């Protein structure tokens, strides 16, 4: 089981705060530093305002050396796939090949309205996501000296030189996530290296993973080629007082966090992570909401991670 740090900077964070968390995560031995890709806060003012996901990851790429970096997840509505492929390839180069691309159809209508981004109906958003995946992976995997073309319903690419190339030969691993019954598993089977189930119970996680495995078998892909992961909110403490303080700092109740997230003592976290592993999870993204509490990350790294190997 690998643990990765997952942040939500639209809730209120500067680049410097994100960098401090990423560097601490690297220092403590976490597998990756991920961030959401949102432009509008949820249930808070979100001061000082949003940071762009790929601009901030580019900066972090130059100030870290080993930890992987990525998005959970970039919305396909935010960027045309050609320019997105260029941005991600460049950050992959800047990091020495440490980037993962998490990408989804987009869901938060208010942020689209707030920043003038078109928000098509759900069916079209999934169509655009599928075409974006075809274009992005096609551009990355086109051999040097050849061109890439694509003719879709919403997207057309003609004779692209398909440059620049990412550092990773076949391009950064692609992460797709969600709880959809058919379309999301089918897209994951076709394009993903990793499938993520966000904020779901152990039983629901098991069911979603099985749908993805069945989708892989439908197209004769080995389901074992994918990494299966979860995202869960983190709230760990050595004492009940410490747990309660951390829950208060992120505006949540301890009992609710214990039920729906990874909350409690290090021993409780080890037990619950073990049950997610039994359901098929190989990675957990720890949603870290208090970015100033680096001791929280150190606690999990020192008292939870050693018990997972």
């Amino acid at each position: 089981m690998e643990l990765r740090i997952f942040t939500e900077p639209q809730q209120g964070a500067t680049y410097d705060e994100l960098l401090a968390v990423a560097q601490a995560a690297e220092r403590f031995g976490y597998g990756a530093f991920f961030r959401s890709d949102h432009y509008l806060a949820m249930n808070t003012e979100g001061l000082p305002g949003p940071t762009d996901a790929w601009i901030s990851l580019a900066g972090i790429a130059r100030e870290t050396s080993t930890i992987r970096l990525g998005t959970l997840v970039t919305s396909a509505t935010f960027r045309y796939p050609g320019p997105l492929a260029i941005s991600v390839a460049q950050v992959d180069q800047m990091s020495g090949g440490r980037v993962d691309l998490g990408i989804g159809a987009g869901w938060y209508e208010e942020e689209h309205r707030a920043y003038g981004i078109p928000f098509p109906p759900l069916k079209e958003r999934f169509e655009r996501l599928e075409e974006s995946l075809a274009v992005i992976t096609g551009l990355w995997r086109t051999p040097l000296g050849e061109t890439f073309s694509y003719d879709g319903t919403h997207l057309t690419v003609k004779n692209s030189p398909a440059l620049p190339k990412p550092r990773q030969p076949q391009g950064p691993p692609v992460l797709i996530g969600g709880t959809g019954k058919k379309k999301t598993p089918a897209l994951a089977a076709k394009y993903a290296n990793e499938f993520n189930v966000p904020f779901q119970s152990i039983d629901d996680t098991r069911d979603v993973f099985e749908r993805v495995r069945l989708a892989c078998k439908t197209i004769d892909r080995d389901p074992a080629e994918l990494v299966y992961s979860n995202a869960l909110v983190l709230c760990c403490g050595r004492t009940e007082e410490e747990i309660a303080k951390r829950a208060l700092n992120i505006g949540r109740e301890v009992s609710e966090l214990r039920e729906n997230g990874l909350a409690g003592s290090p021993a409780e976290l080890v037990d619950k992570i073990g049950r997610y592993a039994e359901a098929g999870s190989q990675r957990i993204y720890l949603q870290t909401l208090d970015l100033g509490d680096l001791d929280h990350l150190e606690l999990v790294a020192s008292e939870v991670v050693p018990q997972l190997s």
Side-chain angles (χ1 to χ4, degrees):
M1 176 67 72
E2 177 192 357
L3 299 187
R4 294 181 161 190
I5 299 302
F6 166 43
T7 62
E8 300 272 10
Q10 79 279 353
Q11 298 301 91
T14 64
Y15 168 76
D16 288 339
E17 289 170 325
L18 289 174
L19 175 61
V21 174
Q23 290 177 328
E26 181 173 76
R27 188 166 63 250
F28 296 146
Y30 288 96
F33 170 85
F34 271 57
R35 56 156 293 161
S36 61
D37 192 353
H38 283 296
Y39 292 129
L40 191 67
M42 304 160 199
N43 304 313
T44 180
E45 291 181 335
L47 297 175
T51 49
D52 182 87
W54 288 101
I55 289 176
S56 62
L57 289 174
I60 292 169
R62 303 302 286 180
E63 301 206 49
T64 55
S65 58
T66 58
I67 196 166
R68 294 196 67 82
L69 306 169
T71 49
L72 198 63
V73 295
T74 285
S75 172
T77 59
F78 287 174
R79 302 167 180 88
Y80 290 115
L84 179 59
I86 291 170
S87 295
V88 178
Q90 184 172 3
V91 179
D92 196 49
Q93 291 175 356
M94 294 167 71
S95 70
R98 293 184 283 122
V99 163
D100 296 5
L101 170 63
I103 187 168
W107 62 271
Y108 191 16
E109 185 173 2
E110 288 82 355
E111 71 184 336
H112 291 74
R113 290 201 303 262
Y115 287 98
I117 304 168
F119 188 72
L122 181 62
K123 180 177 182 293
E124 182 178 336
R125 295 202 308 276
F126 268 93
E127 290 170 350
R128 287 182 174 273
L129 171 60
E130 183 166 13
E131 293 189 18
S132 293
L133 285 162
V135 170
I136 291 167
T137 57
L139 289 168
W140 287 343
R141 294 170 186 172
T142 297
L144 282 172
E146 298 184 15
T147 60
F148 174 79
S149 296
Y150 179 83
D151 189 11
T153 301
H154 304 284
L155 302 170
T156 301
V157 178
K158 296 294 185 185
N159 299 321
S160 172
L163 298 171
K165 296 303 183 193
R167 177 68 176 270
Q168 297 172 89
Q170 292 298 304
V174 172
L175 181 154
I176 293 174
T179 58
K181 295 279 194 291
K182 294 181 179 179
K183 191 63 176 178
T184 303
L187 287 176
K190 187 173 182 180
Y191 291 105
N193 303 93
E194 178 176 349
F195 187 83
N196 181 267
V197 177
F199 313 114
Q200 297 295 309
S201 70
I202 294 168
D203 287 341
D204 288 343
T205 291
R206 187 181 290 108
D207 292 342
V208 177
F209 285 167
E210 184 57 28
R211 290 200 291 270
V212 174
R213 292 189 185 96
L214 289 173
C216 287
K217 292 175 182 176
T218 299
I219 62 169
D220 294 324
R221 183 181 183 187
D222 183 356
E225 291 179 5
L226 273 73
V227 173
Y228 298 85
S229 64
N230 288 88
L232 296 164
V233 65
L234 175 66
C235 184
C236 184
R238 293 182 177 89
T239 65
E240 288 300 317
E241 181 180 16
E242 192 172 46
I243 297 165
K245 180 180 178 181
R246 288 195 163 115
L248 179 64
N249 287 345
I250 61 173
R252 303 280 286 270
E253 297 291 334
V254 172
S255 59
E256 178 268 324
L257 287 170
R258 274 194 161 107
E259 180 177 354
N260 299 315
L262 277 179
S265 67
E268 287 179 274
L269 264 66
V270 170
D271 176 71
K272 194 165 189 179
I273 290 170
R275 287 185 279 131
Y276 272 97
E278 289 171 357
S281 187
Q282 298 161 285
R283 281 182 189 144
I284 292 183
Y285 291 79
L286 304 175
Q287 187 191 43
T288 305
L289 298 175
D290 184 354
L291 301 185
D293 187 3
L294 300 183
D295 289 342
H296 198 186
L297 303 187
E298 194 280 332
L299 169 62
V300 175
S302 64
E303 299 195 20
V304 174
V305 172
Q307 299 186 65
L308 302 179
S309 58

